[in-house]
Amino acid sequence: MTAIGIIGHLARDVVAGAAPRVGGTVYYGARAAARLGAPARIVARCAPADRALLLAPLEQLGLPVTWHTTTASTGFSFHYEGDHRVMAVDAIGDPWTADDIRTWVADALGDATWVQVGALLRTDFGPASLAALAGRERRLLVDGQGLVRAAVTGQLRRDRDVERSVLGSLQVLKLNESEATILAGGTDPERLRGLGVPEVLVTFGSRGSAVVTATGEWRVAAASSEPVQDPTGAGDGYSTAYLAARSAGAAPAAAGEHAAAFVATLLSGR
């Protein structure tokens, strides 16, 4: 199995008023890769002052990590109401530039051809940086949360003011139900195909997920319907498991089944 890449800002998360903890797609994706036993190259950023809180837990997973600084660590405060997450943006990390991607990021990713892009806010990865990241025949999976979230502090604001050219750099777009409604107008397969991304994944929380390609659509049942108090990172784990399966040669439908089964085992351990 070839290595996958996982890149993004580490996040400083405050969940339901508890003490700050590490978060962000790059952390939860790396944790999923470690649990899967999938070879992965991790590229992360956070503020130097947060190295002990955010970077140390990532490094303890035992995967190769390349770290660079950012002016501020991206920060969120949130709590859950059922499957719904109520969130505020506390701080915003620096954008990843095309120069970053072509230099030290390229060295860190090495020969990884499938890359999970952990965009947390819209300014993390713009059109130029995603185009540079998609170079060298890399196939990118981007979580739609980082496309619809406005990069402003305070109560989280989501809208469809997205530079649509970013979609042209993607092989896989992962959305939840509300993000699909914002970007595509709904979860109907034809609406999702209208985004122009070869593979679109939609997660429905405890109601399962869907995989949509140009030639087919598959509904994937959730492997477990038991309620989970804190499902943070489940969507990131789904994306990582899907990417790991695709990089190993699985077709989209089989990769979706694999991802759903993995998330069930991930959540059952909490």
Side-chain angles (χ1 to χ4, degrees):
M1 182 188 298
T2 58
I4 62 174
I6 307 174
I7 179 173
H9 285 301
L10 290 163
R12 188 177 189 273
D13 285 351
V14 176
V15 184
R21 72 185 195 192
V22 62
T25 296
V26 70
Y27 171 70
Y28 287 111
R31 192 174 70 169
R35 183 159 178 170
L36 285 161
R41 303 177 187 275
I42 314 302
V43 185
R45 299 174 73 184
C46 69
D50 289 320
R51 285 191 66 173
L53 176 66
L54 306 184
L55 183 62
L58 178 65
E59 293 178 327
Q60 289 167 6
L61 295 172
L63 298 171
V65 175
T66 299
W67 171 77
H68 273 225
T69 64
T70 181
T71 305
S73 297
T74 300
F76 299 103
S77 298
F78 56 91
H79 67 277
Y80 288 94
E81 297 176 358
D83 280 344
H84 177 61
R85 181 165 55 181
V86 180
M87 177 177 283
V89 180
D90 300 326
I92 300 169
D94 299 335
W96 296 72
T97 69
D99 284 343
D100 291 329
I101 303 303
R102 285 189 287 261
T103 54
W104 66 271
V105 170
D107 291 339
L109 290 175
D111 61 355
T113 55
W114 289 82
V115 179
Q116 183 176 358
V117 183
L120 301 177
L121 295 167
R122 186 175 295 152
T123 53
D124 285 1
F125 295 90
S129 58
L130 282 176
L133 196 53
R136 302 187 180 186
E137 299 185 349
R138 296 192 192 98
R139 299 179 181 183
L140 309 184
L141 182 155
V142 170
D143 194 315
Q145 66 180 5
L147 302 181
V148 303
R149 289 175 177 173
V152 293
T153 55
Q155 184 175 2
L156 180 68
R157 191 180 79 211
R158 303 189 302 170
D159 58 50
R160 64 193 313 269
D161 187 20
V162 178
E163 177 53 67
R164 294 288 167 144
S165 64
V166 303
L167 300 177
S169 296
L170 311 186
Q171 174 68 27
V172 188
L173 176 64
K174 184 267 178 190
L175 306 167
N176 64 24
E177 190 170 8
S178 61
E179 292 157 0
T181 299
I182 293 170
L183 283 179
T187 60
D188 177 84
E190 288 309 311
R191 289 184 179 272
L192 298 173
R193 291 188 182 104
L195 295 171
V197 180
E199 301 168 40
V200 180
L201 316 176
V202 183
T203 56
F204 299 94
S206 59
R207 293 180 288 118
S209 59
V211 178
V212 177
T213 70
T215 58
E217 60 265 7
W218 300 269
R219 190 63 187 255
V220 181
S224 173
S225 59
E226 295 181 7
V228 178
Q229 185 175 0
D230 182 4
T232 307
D236 300 320
Y238 183 98
S239 294
T240 305
Y242 182 89
L243 204 67
R246 290 289 283 126
S247 72
E257 295 280 358
H258 172 72
F262 172 72
V263 168
T265 65
L266 189 71
L267 294 178
S268 67
R270 296 189 180 181

